[in-house]
Every structure is written in C-alpha cells, then in structure tokens.
Amino acid sequence: MATTAATPSYEQTGIWSWITTVDHKRIGALYLYTALFFFMFGGLEAGVIRWQLAQPNQHIVSAELYNQLFTMHGTTMIFLAVMPLSAAFFNFLIPLQIGARDVAFPRLNAFSYWVYVLGGTFMTLPIFFNTAPNGGWFGYAPLTTLPFSSGLNIDFWVMGLQILGISSLAAAFNFITTIINMRAPGMTLMRMPVFTWMSFVVQFLLVLAFPVITIALVFLLFDRFFGTNFYEIAAGADPLLWQHLFWVFGHPEVYILILPAFGLVSEILPTFSRKPLFGYNVVVYSGIMIGFLGFGVWAHHMFAVGMGATADTIFALTTMLIGIPTGVKIFNWIATMWGGQIRFTAAMKFAIGLIALFTIGGISGVMHSSPPADLQQTDTYFVVAHFHYVLFGGSIMGIFGGIYFYYPKITGRYMSEVLGTWHFWCTFIAMNLTFFPMHFSGMLGMPRRIYTYDAGQGWDTFNLISSIGTGLLILSTLIFVVNFLKSRKSGEVAPGDAWGAGTLEWTIPSPPPDYNFAEIPFVTSRYPLWDLKHPERTSGIAHSAPDVMTITDAHATPVHEEMGHKTAAELGIPMPFNTVKPLIAAAALVAMFGGLLFMHTNQFAVAMTITIGSASLFVGTLYAWLTSPLE
Amino acid sequence: MASAVAEVHEHTHYTTTGLDNRKVAIWAFIGSECMLFMSLISTYLIYKGKSIVGPFPHEAWTDPSGHVFKPILNIPVTSQSTFVLLMSSLVMVLALAAVENRGKPGYQGTLLGNSKLWLAATAALGATFLGYQAYEFTSFVHEGLTIHTNLFGSSFFTLTGFHGAHVTAGVLWLLTLLSIDIKRGLTPKDALLVDICALYWHFVDVVWIAIFTLVYLIK
Amino acid sequence: MNDHAPHADHAHEHPTWKQYKWVALWLTLITVFEVWIYYTPFKETPYYIPLLLVLSATKFAIVVLFYMHLKYDHKLFKALFTGPLIIAVCTLLALFALFSHRAIPQ
Ligand code: HEM
Ligand SMILES: [Cu+2]
C-alpha cells in the first residue's frame, strides 16, 4: 500500500492539460510554483536593497531605481508572493479538508489563477525598463497623482493592483461558497480543520476589504486618466482620503497575510505533538474575532497625521484589544505541544519558529499601538523590523512549514528532512540577523525608504549585519529550492497518511486522484483518521456517532487507496471538462486595463481600441463560458 | 454512510446546506458590494461642501465673472427616475413569481404568468432609468458641471456613474434571461437563474434608495 | 447531522402578489412623502435629516426583506448580508466622524 507510485496520478498530461485545467489541485500547484517564483524575485529585489544599504554612501543603484525596488519588493511580497502562496493552500487543501471533489466553481478558480499570473507579470516586467512603480507599496496620493508622478510607473501599479484585486475577489467568492456548501456529510462548521476555518475568515476579509481599495484605486485612476479631483489638493481635496481608504483595506490585508499561516501551523502542531489542538473553539472564535476587529483599527497606521487625541485614543484601544485574540492563539499552540510526544520534523521546526518569531513581531506591534511611542517609531527601520517579524517570521515561516508538511500530499514524495533542517536553521538565524538589528537602527533614527545614508550616525554596524543576514537568507532559500526540486524526483515515496495526521486529506492517496474521494466520507469528529488509527487521542473530543462500524467504514484507508488507482470514468464520477475560456477571459481583462496606458502616451485611439476591444472579448468569452456545460 | 453516498451519487448537485452554490455566491457578492458603495458614498459625503468652486448641488453660485449658477440637482426629475427604479423592482418580483409558478393555476396563461412580459418590463424600466441618468448627466454638463469641475462633480459623477454601470449590467443580464425565455422558455427549474438576477437587481435598487436620500434630498 | 433540512425546497412561504402590491405602494408613498417634505419648511428644521434617514432605511429594509425575500429565506443569507452591511455602516460612520473632527483645522 505504501508503494503507491509517486508520479501524479492525473489522467491527463502535457502542457495543454495544465493550461486548460480546472482541477483545484493542479491550480493549487500552479499557484505554488508561480508564487514561489515571485517570492524569489521579491527576495532578489530585497537583496539589491540590502546590498545598497550594506555600507554608508553607496551608489550601487540610483535613488530612482531604489524607489522602484522597495516599492516592487513590498508589492511583490504581499500581492504576488504571500497572498498567492496562501491561495495555493486554499486551492489544494480546502476541498480535501472538507471532503469535496472540487471547489464550487472550478472554472472561476482557473480564471482567478490566470488573472493573477498575467496581472503579476504586468506589474513585474516594468522594472526591467526602469519604469516600475515607485510610490511605495501603499502608494500614498497625492504623491501618486499625475503632477507628482508623471511617468507610467504608477499606472502599472494602479492597474496591476486593480487586476490582482479581481483575482482575489473571484477566488474569495468561490471559497466562501465552497466552504459553506461543499462540506461532506457530518462535516459541521465546528468540525472543520482549523486551516479551513482560518481560510474561511480570510475569504470574508478579502471580500470586504478589497472593494475599498478598488474604489480608492478607481479614484486615483480617474484622477490620472480623466482629470478628476479626488486627490487634487488645490481643488479642496483632503490629503487623508487616500490614507483612510487605503488602510481600511490595509489592516484587514495584514490578517489576510497571516491567518492562513496560522491555519497551517494549527494543522502541523497537533500532528507532530500527537494530540488534538488545544482549545479548538478558542482558536476558531479568536480567528473570527480578529476578522471583525480587523476592520476597526486601521487608523493606527496614521497616528502621525494629526487625527486628534480622541481618534488616536480610540484606535490605540482597539489595536491593543485586537492583540488579545492574536495572543490567545500563541498560548493555544504552546498548550498543544505541552505534554505531547513531539516529533521535530522540518515542518514542525518551522511551525515552532513561527510561534517564536511572530511573538517578537507581535510585541513590537503592541509597542506602536501606543501613539506617543509610535510617533518615535513610525517611518523608521523599527517598523520595518516589526513587519518583517510578522510577515517573514509569521507568514513565510508558516508557509514554509506548510510546504514541508503538504509536499508529500501534493507530489507523493517527502522532501529531504536533512536539507529541511539545514534550511530551517539557516533561515532562522539569517532572519534574525537581518531583521533584529533593524530595531536598533530604527530606534537610532534611521528612516525607512532612504536609498543611502551618511556614516557616523551609529547605523553602520547594524546595517552591515542586516545585509550579511540577507546574504545568508538568500543562501538558505537556495537550499530550499534544491530540496524542493530534487525531492520531486528522488524524495522518499509517501503513503496517503504521510505523517500520521488526523484530518480528511490524509485518508486519500498521495498525490490524490483527480476526483479526490472515491466515496464521499461521512464525518463524525474533528480527527476522523485518528478515530480510526489512534482512538485514544480523540477520546476527549465530541463525536456524533461513536459507532465504530460507521467510522471504520468511512475511513478504512486501504479502501480509498485501492480506489485511487481507478480513473474517474471507471468509478462513474463526473469530472468537469477542461477549458481554455478562463485563460482567454483573464487575458482580455488584463489587456482591457493595459490598453488604458496608451492614453498617457497620447494615443487615445489606440487606448480605446484595445480597451473596448478586449472588453468585448471579455464579455463574449464570459457568455461562451457561462453557456457551456461544466461537466 | 451508505445512504449518504447514495444521495451524493444521485444528485450531482448535492450541497451541504441544500442551497444552490450560485445563490450563496451572489449573496456573498452583494455583501462585498456593500463595501464598494460604502466607499463611494463615504467619499461623496466627506467631500460634501468642500468644493472650492461651483456649481454646487443645493446652493446657487456666482462665479467671479458674475455668472449665476442655479443649484444643480433636479429633484423633480430624479424623483421620477427613482420611482421608475422602484417599480422595476416590483415587476422583477413578478417575473420571478411567473417563472417559479409556471403551470400552476392562476399563472398558466394569465398575465401574472407571463414571465417574458415581466422580464422585458424590468429591463425596459431599467433602461428608462438609464435614460433619465443620461439626461441628467448631459444637462449638468450643459450647466457647467463636469467630472473635472470640482470635488462635487468628481464624486457625484463617479458615485452615480458606478451605480449606473451596475444598472447597465443588470439590464444586460435581464435581456439575456429574456432571450433564454424566448428561445426555450424558463421553467420552475430555472427559477434560480432568475432569482439571482433579481437579488442583484433589487440590491442595485436599494443602493439607489440610499443615494437618493443622501445625495439628492439631504442638503 | 447538520443545521438544515437537506434539499430544502426554495418554495418556503414566499410572499405573494398581494404582498408585492402593498410593498410597492408603501415604497411609493414613502418616496412621495420624502420628496414632499423636501419642499416644505420642515426641511430647515433639525429633524429633517434624521427623519429622512429613518424613512430611507425603512425603504431599504422593506426591499431587502420582501423583494429580496430575506425574511423568508435561509438564515445563512441573512448572515451573509447583515454582517457586511454592519461593517459597511460602521466604517462609513467612523470615516464621517474622522473627517468632520480635525485636530488641525484646515
Ligand atoms: C528576503 C527577505 C527580506 C529582506 C532582506 C527584506 C528587506 C526589506 C527592507 C530593507 C525594506 C525597507 C526598504 C526601505 O524602506 O528602503 C523592506 C520593505 C518591505 N518589505 Fe521586505 N524584506 C524581506 C522579505 C519580505 C517579506 C517576506 C515581506 C512580506 C511578506 C516583505 C514585505 C515588505 C514590505 C511591505 C515593505 C515596505 C515597502 C515599502 O516601504 O513600500 N519583505 N524589506
Ligand atoms: Cu494595521
């Protein structure tokens, strides 16, 4: 049974089958590869930044290029690396964890992916022509309006984000519907794996936060292209409008970045501690609480703009409040490990790494929830240190953990634990070397977003250490890449239940067959597979049908693994048709936005032809798509 | 177990809640649209009274050369278009009822059961609303208010333009349904197709209710 | 096993034509009333704006409850709509408050 061939058991192969795929597992894999590529690209941009800052008064890149580098580094990491890496897991895991054969709208899912790739490419290419966005990842208007940023740089940013927003929104509607409606019988909400729960919260954050930045960007786009006055101070516009709208989106966005990683470690820790997650309900409810409160703290990013004592106080309080549900989770994880029989796999190391590093970032976060303290810290490297501890130490560590954990499920082979351990320790040390000194350089007054600095301000050593750390980070990422690619071919073959975990995705073969579940399982508790193999671990949690027969029947792994060798046709399971329409629709959408760029080169006719032409193509494809049957 | 599997194999469209996926998705979409229009309306309200030059929505304005601009909003005309949109919601529910109850007594062969009529009427009322809006926009431009003129112009045209774009999409959607109805006839099995369109349509109507009060009636 | 009746037919107790008529009538009446007070001196009193807000909120609620049949539909839909609506309204109020009280006068 463990000798199941590790080659993907997809029924179709070849590049065309990937282009036209609507299978959530393949789309998840596509997201994973693409996002890892962008992660490395963003990392290289950071590498250049750190190279430039390694010593005072260096001129490796110009000030202008430096602006483009930090803007694209931030934008890439957030929108093209971490969010899509999370999306890779949403795609791959949610249907498997809830016992479904696919997402609710498979073709929409393909559309989301293609919009993401094309939109990401659209934003990334300009850096090779020195016209990349240069207004910072939060693109403050009026700085980004035409009088102050006249090149095409900001246009790429505005259009690019607009495009990526469509991708995220489409995906979010899809996953909301999937989680609500595609759960296997017995999979009640309070039995869903925590990763699915955190993803559920994230989808709502996406659905509610993205429209706000969409509108803020529409205003900016109209200002730049059609001469409106939204950010035109001379016409009486308020310079804070953009900031408020952006951060109404921006704060939920940071939870969009971190909650999926929280979900992943909430799967990893119980598995390798060999006991159920401590306080499942608390983890779930605190996740929901974070989702709600996340909409009430945005102005803590604006303490320095003079909102007044009342507003500052209110937002300081809500910010301190939201620290509570976040902190609670840390204790849940620690209590999960407490008294468990821990196995220190690479995935587990990254999960524990997240707990340690995220806590540091969380503490410095609570520090700048106090306006007087924040006035000292804002726009210095202290803040840069803070958000890298939560984004790198939190999101990226969690995602790396998730990759080590789910790689066997995705590919059918384990990643090398030896290289994984090297990767972990290198990353852990390098990460701290890079970002910890930034606390000090920040406290000593080093502003963020400066392209060089004079010697003798007490920043030199700290910057040098940071840059050395970055070199090591790049090295450790190389170890990961080698491990990732090598294990694909020569990794040890993994059985369906690769780690002795308890949730549904481990009851099916690795990699899963096209249809996931030959028979839709009937779920009676939170850890169905442990009920079967280690009933002693789950004796303390609620079961709806303690009838052992039912459980055995539903989760007898051999049954599933045998069925895994059959094709969907043999089993009589209807599968969705492959289709290229989502890709065409996505390309039309991107061209529609891209066409507008020609307005700034004074080719109005060209702009309108491309935009209107692609808009019609988009609508036409949509009609063809909606009128052709799914399966 | 056995029964659950049987059920799944029988209905390919088994869902956990028994609700249709598309309906869940449209409600999630409507929730998202709340935030979209919230942002537009907030901006309009934040910029209310902040314009440096006229024309203004509710007050007259004299430009430096002595030219007098009347308050620009035309309440009587917009009241009519508001009424038109409200009535479109009524005929929309009738269209849905006609499709849902096709073949039932009281609907078969009666006016109430004529789904094509009601769908066409909804689309026509939507188009009428758009006609009013086109009239309003052009007359504003003639009176000297464009999207460039001032903050009011920018935020007003963008807000109502976004709403108008939503109405346009709705009209296209309705016409699509109408053409399906004409081609093969919508049956109670298709009620969901009409239902989700109707939900979208009413939501757009509800947004207008908010806009009419906040933009037009409140000074 | 779950919080629903499997395959609940969409045909709950849907509102009927009679009800739709009444709803339309009320919507019209409220709108006429709103426009009417716009032309009365009442417009200048401090009660005008609150009254208008209440009236349009009523219209909003009527359309959502009856035309969008949220009153008769699954509770899930109620949650999917009211949650975002509450967040939207609160955000709007907060933004409005933030922009109307400025520490540094312009
Ligand atoms: C390879 C590891 C990384 C290094 C060495 C690094 C380094 C830096 C540095 C030095 C800056 C400040 C640039 C400046 O203010 O002049 C910066 C900004 C930023 N980084 Fe990173 N970073 C790394 C990874 C990440 C990751 C994983 C994320 C997000 C998930 C991220 C998100 C950001 C953001 C949002 C900014 C702000 C950009 C802006 O000011 O507009 N970084 N990074
Ligand atoms: Cu924040």
Side-chain angles (χ1 to χ4, degrees):
Chain A
M1 147 185 152
T3 51
T4 315
T7 43
S9 59
Y10 300 129
E11 287 164 29
Q12 300 150 320
T13 48
I15 186 131
W16 186 246
S17 75
W18 285 91
I19 288 175
T20 59
T21 188
V22 294
D23 180 336
H24 72 97
K25 299 180 290 300
R26 287 180 157 214
I27 294 173
L30 287 172
Y31 262 111
L32 181 64
Y33 294 132
T34 318
L36 280 175
F37 169 79
F38 279 117
F39 172 69
M40 272 167 295
F41 197 86
L44 287 182
E45 283 163 346
V48 179
I49 292 176
R50 282 312 328 167
W51 187 14
Q52 164 91 348
L53 295 180
Q55 281 169 10
N57 294 317
Q58 291 213 94
H59 292 275
I60 290 149
V61 294
S62 65
E64 166 57 28
L65 186 58
Y66 187 88
N67 288 351
Q68 298 180 16
L69 282 170
F70 74 68
T71 303
M72 280 318 292
H73 162 67
T75 309
T76 303
M77 284 301 188
I78 288 177
F79 295 99
L80 304 179
V82 174
M83 281 176 74
L85 280 168
S86 306
F89 286 105
F90 299 157
N91 271 286
F92 194 86
L93 279 183
I94 289 175
L96 299 186
Q97 288 199 324
I98 61 176
R101 294 224 164 101
D102 208 323
V103 293
F105 305 103
R107 294 178 291 188
L108 186 65
N109 208 18
F111 174 75
S112 302
Y113 170 72
W114 292 113
V115 173
Y116 153 60
V117 188
L118 296 174
T121 313
F122 177 86
M123 266 218 287
T124 303
L125 285 183
I127 200 153
F128 296 109
F129 305 96
N130 205 22
T131 47
N134 52 4
W137 90 275
F138 39 65
Y140 276 178
L143 174 66
T144 43
T145 57
L146 214 44
F148 306 103
S149 301
S150 56
L152 288 178
N153 312 49
I154 298 295
D155 295 330
F156 281 110
W157 188 78
V158 175
M159 312 277 192
L161 283 197
Q162 208 70 290
I163 294 167
L164 294 171
I166 292 170
S167 159
S168 301
L169 279 171
F173 295 129
N174 205 344
F175 289 120
I176 288 180
T177 313
T178 304
I179 295 176
I180 289 177
N181 243 2
M182 309 284 280
R183 282 169 286 135
M187 176 62 80
T188 55
L189 288 177
M190 290 314 272
R191 274 187 202 148
M192 291 198 308
V194 174
F195 174 75
T196 297
W197 249 117
M198 291 306 113
S199 312
F200 198 37
V201 175
V202 166
Q203 308 312 318
F204 281 102
L205 292 176
L206 285 164
V207 152
L208 299 180
F210 264 78
V212 184
I213 192 174
T214 300
I215 291 303
L217 288 166
V218 163
F219 293 161
L220 185 54
L221 196 140
F222 279 17
D223 270 12
R224 292 180 65 85
F225 285 89
F226 308 120
T228 52
N229 303 309
F230 290 104
Y231 306 118
E232 184 63 50
I233 307 304
D238 196 312
L240 293 192
L241 179 69
W242 170 273
Q243 294 199 18
H244 275 296
L245 291 179
F246 183 88
W247 289 114
V248 168
F249 150 81
H251 193 86
E253 170 71 17
V254 307
Y255 289 106
I256 293 170
L257 297 171
I258 194 65
L259 285 181
F262 282 3
L264 288 170
V265 300
S266 303
E267 302 297 330
I268 297 169
L269 289 167
T271 302
F272 294 121
S273 307
R274 298 181 231 196
K275 60 196 269 266
L277 184 70
F278 179 85
Y280 173 99
N281 294 353
V282 177
V283 176
V284 168
Y285 286 124
S286 65
I288 299 175
M289 184 105 102
I290 288 176
F292 263 99
L293 287 179
F295 280 95
V297 298
W298 78 83
H300 62 210
H301 295 272
M302 302 167 59
F303 283 145
V305 304
M307 293 182 297
T310 323
D312 282 0
T313 313
I314 292 173
F315 281 101
L317 282 176
T318 53
T319 305
M320 291 172 192
L321 207 62
I322 205 173
I324 297 172
T326 315
V328 160
K329 286 184 186 307
I330 305 271
F331 291 105
N332 281 91
W333 294 325
I334 294 174
T336 303
M337 290 190 287
W338 186 266
Q341 298 166 274
I342 298 181
R343 284 171 66 198
F344 284 105
T345 59
M348 185 66 167
K349 289 181 185 125
F350 275 100
I352 298 172
L354 176 143
I355 302 180
L357 299 175
F358 182 85
T359 305
I360 298 179
I363 289 172
S364 57
V366 177
M367 283 165 77
H368 34 251
S369 70
S370 161
D374 185 61
L375 286 180
Q376 295 300 314
Q377 296 158 0
T378 190
D379 264 325
T380 70
Y381 262 84
F382 189 86
V383 171
V384 179
H386 154 70
F387 66 68
H388 283 92
Y389 266 89
V390 292
L391 287 175
F392 199 109
S395 307
I396 293 291
M397 295 300 262
I399 287 167
F400 273 138
I403 293 178
Y404 281 97
F405 192 55
Y406 283 106
Y407 192 90
K409 183 51 59 186
I410 299 174
T411 65
R413 292 180 186 273
Y414 289 101
M415 285 175 87
S416 152
E417 281 293 320
V418 176
L419 286 178
T421 303
W422 273 98
H423 174 212
F424 170 74
W425 283 112
C426 275
T427 308
F428 188 82
I429 293 168
M431 189 278 150
N432 283 296
L433 266 184
T434 307
F435 298 115
F436 206 79
M438 292 185 188
H439 289 113
F440 299 107
S441 47
M443 277 302 184
L444 292 173
M446 178 165 169
R448 71 194 270 204
R449 297 176 171 172
I450 49 165
Y451 83 109
T452 190
Y453 53 94
D454 265 337
Q457 305 181 78
W459 308 340
D460 308 6
T461 322
F462 296 121
N463 275 291
L464 186 61
I465 301 175
S466 281
S467 295
I468 293 172
T470 307
L472 193 55
L473 262 184
I474 293 176
L475 201 76
S476 63
T477 310
L478 280 182
I479 303 179
F480 168 77
V481 173
V482 170
N483 194 354
F484 191 90
L485 296 179
K486 238 185 66 181
S487 307
R488 197 79 186 70
K489 296 257 162 4
S490 59
E492 195 190 324
V493 171
D497 179 13
W499 305 108
T503 43
L504 276 186
E505 69 270 32
W506 304 104
T507 63
I508 54 174
S510 304
D514 286 0
Y515 44 81
N516 299 351
F517 297 90
E519 287 188 2
I520 298 296
F522 190 96
V523 183
T524 54
S525 88
R526 273 175 206 151
Y527 296 98
L529 198 52
W530 281 355
D531 285 342
L532 188 70
K533 296 188 175 173
H534 302 283
E536 77 286 355
R537 287 187 198 163
T538 61
S539 52
I541 63 172
H543 291 74
S544 59
D547 171 6
V548 181
M549 269 320 288
T550 326
I551 301 167
T552 319
D553 191 21
H555 296 298
T557 350
V559 175
H560 282 275
E561 289 203 320
E562 260 162 30
M563 293 223 174
H565 297 301
K566 296 200 179 152
T567 63
E570 284 165 357
L571 290 166
I573 299 170
M575 298 300 294
F577 298 131
N578 282 10
T579 165
V580 72
K581 288 181 196 108
L583 172 57
I584 298 177
L589 190 80
V590 174
M592 193 170 99
F593 281 102
L596 282 181
L597 288 178
F598 288 94
M599 283 184 67
H600 278 170
T601 52
N602 285 325
Q603 293 161 295
F604 192 74
V606 181
M608 283 302 128
T609 318
I610 297 183
T611 301
I612 296 174
S614 356
S616 345
L617 178 62
F618 176 71
V619 175
T621 315
L622 213 60
Y623 267 92
W625 164 353
L626 291 174
T627 50
S628 56
L630 174 64
E631 50 188 29
Chain B
M1 168 73 188
S3 70
V5 171
E7 192 181 4
V8 171
H9 282 304
E10 259 167 39
H11 316 271
T12 34
H13 293 294
Y14 166 86
T15 64
T16 321
T17 55
L19 306 163
D20 191 282
N21 283 341
R22 287 164 290 179
K23 194 158 167 183
V24 175
I26 195 84
W27 272 110
F29 175 71
I30 287 173
S32 171
E33 293 272 280
C34 286
M35 289 302 277
L36 189 95
F37 281 103
M38 181 283 291
S39 316
L40 286 162
I41 293 176
S42 303
T43 304
Y44 179 86
L45 293 178
I46 287 166
Y47 278 169
K48 211 165 165 173
K50 295 266 176 70
S51 296
I52 291 172
V53 296
F56 299 125
H58 299 279
E59 303 86 15
W61 178 64
T62 319
D63 77 0
S65 66
H67 186 290
V68 180
F69 292 85
K70 289 185 308 216
I72 205 150
L73 293 179
N74 188 336
I75 304 297
V77 166
T78 311
S79 305
Q80 291 166 33
S81 70
T82 303
F83 178 71
V84 166
L85 202 58
L86 286 175
M87 287 307 111
S88 80
S89 268
L90 174 65
V91 285
M92 183 76 247
V93 289
L94 294 181
L96 176 59
V99 173
E100 273 178 342
N101 296 304
R102 172 131 310 149
K104 292 204 187 135
Y107 286 89
Q108 187 61 30
T110 64
L111 186 65
L112 266 189
N114 192 342
S115 56
K116 294 186 198 63
L117 173 71
W118 301 126
L119 283 173
T122 317
L125 288 173
T128 313
F129 177 84
L130 289 172
Y132 271 106
Q133 194 167 45
Y135 166 78
E136 183 189 37
F137 281 15
T138 38
S139 62
F140 283 8
V141 170
H142 282 301
E143 289 171 42
L145 181 78
T146 69
I147 200 164
H148 319 286
T149 314
N150 54 17
L151 287 178
F152 165 64
S154 297
S155 55
F156 171 83
F157 282 114
T158 307
L159 168 58
T160 52
F162 250 82
H163 179 264
H166 276 76
V167 175
T168 313
V171 170
L172 288 179
W173 193 345
L174 285 162
L175 291 177
T176 311
L177 286 177
L178 180 62
S179 74
I180 298 176
D181 202 6
I182 291 170
K183 242 192 274 165
R184 63 167 176 82
L186 291 166
T187 65
K189 270 198 205 129
D190 307 309
L192 188 99
L193 291 181
V194 186
D195 195 9
I196 54 177
C197 176
L199 288 174
Y200 172 82
W201 187 261
H202 297 309
F203 176 73
V204 172
D205 187 13
V206 151
V207 170
W208 186 257
I209 290 177
I211 293 179
F212 183 57
T213 302
L214 294 174
V215 174
Y216 289 88
L217 294 182
I218 290 180
K219 226 171 166 176
Chain C
M1 78 187 187
N2 224 317
D3 46 323
H4 63 87
H7 270 260
D9 254 38
H10 303 291
H12 306 271
E13 18 155 3
H14 253 325
T16 58
W17 159 234
K18 230 193 262 157
Q19 209 171 16
Y20 290 148
K21 252 188 336 201
W22 279 109
V23 169
L25 191 66
W26 274 109
L27 290 174
T28 314
L29 286 179
I30 297 177
T31 309
V32 169
F33 182 68
E34 282 177 332
V35 178
W36 176 67
I37 52 172
Y38 179 83
Y39 288 104
T40 63
F42 183 73
K43 189 182 174 197
E44 310 306 329
T45 69
Y47 308 110
Y48 174 70
I49 291 180
L51 178 68
L52 269 191
L53 290 179
V54 169
L55 287 175
S56 59
T58 315
K59 287 203 288 183
F60 189 103
I62 292 177
V63 173
V64 172
L65 288 176
F66 295 98
Y67 281 175
M68 296 170 91
H69 42 81
L70 205 54
K71 180 158 184 259
Y72 304 92
D73 228 329
H74 200 281
K75 63 176 193 282
L76 175 82
F77 297 139
K78 290 180 194 144
L80 279 180
F81 183 64
T82 35
L85 187 68
I86 290 171
I87 293 184
V89 171
C90 292
T91 312
L92 188 142
L93 293 176
L95 281 172
F96 200 64
L98 281 164
F99 277 93
S100 36
H101 296 282
R102 295 293 288 281
I104 305 165
Q106 284 169 312

